[in-house]
Amino acid sequence: MSNGFEFFEGTRRESNTAPRITVRRGGLMVLTSAAVKMLGDGATHVRIGFNPKTKAVGIRSAPEEGNGRYRLRSQKNSASRLVDGKRFFAHHGLSFEKARSFDAEDFGDGLIGFRLPEAKK
């Protein structure tokens, strides 16, 4: 405490410890280190799927070779990883007007992801 002020010291560290996935406006996904850990040890590439019935986006670890894989890119000064999902979201007709963060869900069989909220009518 200084001159009566109480200084807030954080959520940066706190928010990065929870398994979360943020989708930025252009379709870039940011996975916290906890979400990356859910993919399994040594994950360097992922595949992305969409379930139109449940509106769930699923991400699973993928081998370095093969079709349909995306590289988990490092982010400077952060333990989070980036995945460029622009073409994936465009292919499925999904767009984001602003960044949205989701709690990462474990869908089983090495598949993690998030569910899109229902569209407002």
Side-chain angles (χ1 to χ4, degrees):
M1 203 147 156
S2 174
N3 295 333
F5 289 91
E6 294 179 17
F7 290 91
F8 182 67
E9 302 222 359
T11 62
R12 182 177 176 97
R13 178 172 286 138
E14 293 166 9
S15 65
N16 285 341
T17 60
R20 297 196 45 84
I21 301 168
T22 299
V23 182
R24 293 183 181 164
R25 195 174 114 200
L28 184 70
M29 289 187 282
V30 182
L31 284 71
T32 62
S33 60
V36 173
K37 284 181 185 173
M38 290 174 71
L39 291 170
D41 290 336
T44 60
H45 292 76
V46 295
R47 292 192 71 201
I48 310 168
F50 181 62
N51 183 329
K53 193 177 210 176
T54 63
K55 303 288 188 231
V57 174
I59 303 167
R60 75 165 27 129
S61 183
E64 287 186 36
E65 61 283 332
N67 294 331
R69 75 198 181 307
Y70 295 82
R71 186 168 62 89
L72 282 173
R73 297 187 343 244
S74 297
Q75 189 169 276
K76 195 173 190 173
N77 299 324
S78 175
S80 297
R81 297 287 180 257
L82 306 174
V83 177
D84 186 357
K86 183 178 181 177
R87 292 186 325 175
F88 166 82
F89 289 115
H91 174 77
H92 291 287
L94 304 170
S95 64
F96 293 83
E97 297 298 317
K98 60 182 181 176
R100 298 278 314 262
S101 289
F102 304 92
D103 291 329
E105 293 184 48
D106 185 347
F107 295 132
D109 295 326
L111 190 64
I112 69 163
F114 57 93
R115 297 177 199 275
L116 297 171
E118 291 296 319
K120 294 179 183 174
K121 296 180 181 181

